[in-house]
Each structure stands twice: as C-alpha cells, then as structure tokens.
Amino acid sequence: QAYNCLIHFYKRKSCVLAFIEVTLVIMASPSTFLGEGSFGKVYKEIRGGVTCAVKKIPNYRRDGLQEATLLMKLNNEFIIKCLSHHIEGRNLCTVMEYADRGTLKEFIVQQAQNPAATVFKEYSVWRAMDHLATALGYLHTLRPEHILHRD
C-alpha cells in the first residue's frame, strides 16, 4: 500500500523526490542493537538487501562528516569497508560492512575452549599479526594524508 502511494506520488512530482522516498521505504528494516562505543551506538540493519552495521553518532561535528567521507575511500582487504554515510535527524550514520563472526574477544574465548583450535599456533599468530600490520601500513602510507589509528 505504501508502495502504491509512492508510485502515485511519482506520477505527480519530480522523479528525484519519488526516488528518494522509494529508496527509504525499500531500505528501511528493523534494527538490532549490537553495541555502544565512545562515539555512538551500532545497529545491525538490512539495507538494500545487504546486512550492514550502522553506527549512529549523535551530535557529530563537521570533522565527523569528513572522517566518514575519508572512510569511504579506504580499500584494503583487512579493513571493514564503509559503504555509505548519511544524516538521520541529529545523527551521523556510517553504514559499514557487517562482520558476522562476532568480536575478536568472543572469537578468542571460543577458540580457547576448543582443544583442537589452531588459532594459537605460532603460524596463526604470525598470520594475524601480518594482517594487522598490513592494514596499519596501508593507513599510514595513504596519500595525500596518512591516517593514524587511535583506538
């Protein structure tokens, strides 16, 4: 029913306005709260058929918008991708890839309980360190401005 109303709206108004409304209706989905950090809350949402993590940053400053724009430019296999960002009320929302295997802490605890786990073997530790170093090296050598990770 809402879709039919939007089509009717489309026939009477400009295409751009109708497209925005259709996109909002299609992409809207229930949110699942994932966690909270120092800057905002993170929710699991489905947007355009893709499961994403959406970080909602209240009372953001202009540099937050600049950071979101910079995050969208990052392209490294060991860094979660920022798919988009937008303003929602007073929140800056960054839409990120959803990491479906949980947190690093959860992974380590789970693996520690498994006697057959190979994650604590020396070769696995070195591989993980290589992945981290590769991601940080990528951030530190970006041009025109390198990124220093502070978390």
Side-chain angles (χ1 to χ4, degrees):
Q1 203 169 28
Y3 186 76
N4 289 339
C5 290
L6 290 171
I7 296 300
H8 185 69
F9 179 76
Y10 172 79
K11 291 177 182 174
R12 292 187 296 148
K13 300 288 182 184
S14 74
C15 295
V16 174
L17 291 176
F19 176 75
I20 291 170
E21 292 296 323
V22 170
T23 302
L24 290 174
V25 169
I26 291 171
M27 290 173 38
S29 71
S31 296
T32 303
F33 178 73
L34 294 175
E36 187 171 0
S38 58
F39 291 105
K41 296 180 180 180
V42 181
Y43 300 87
K44 176 182 171 184
E45 295 182 5
I46 298 174
R47 294 184 172 229
V50 177
T51 303
C52 306
V54 180
K55 185 175 188 178
K56 297 185 179 188
I57 306 164
N59 305 318
Y60 66 95
R61 297 184 319 218
R62 198 175 102 209
D63 58 342
L65 195 53
Q66 290 173 330
E67 182 177 334
T69 302
L70 177 64
L71 287 174
M72 292 200 44
K73 296 177 183 176
L74 299 181
N75 187 21
N76 182 280
E77 65 181 312
F78 302 118
I79 298 175
I80 300 242
K81 292 191 182 352
C82 180
L83 305 172
S84 67
H85 66 282
H86 62 278
I87 307 301
E88 192 175 277
R90 293 185 174 193
N91 294 322
L92 169 62
C93 299
T94 56
V95 182
M96 311 287 285
E97 282 182 305
Y98 176 65
D100 61 355
R101 295 181 66 187
T103 67
L104 179 59
K105 179 183 176 183
E106 291 168 346
F107 176 74
I108 290 171
V109 168
Q110 176 191 28
Q111 292 299 307
Q113 295 171 357
N114 179 2
T118 60
V119 73
F120 300 111
K121 301 281 187 194
E122 185 176 356
Y123 67 87
S124 291
V125 172
W126 280 112
R127 183 176 56 230
M129 294 300 294
D130 178 63
H131 293 178
L132 287 168
T134 299
L136 285 172
Y138 170 78
L139 294 174
H140 292 175
T141 58
L142 280 177
R143 297 291 178 251
E145 211 175 329
H146 60 272
I147 298 173
L148 299 176
H149 190 275
R150 297 181 292 177
D151 286 346

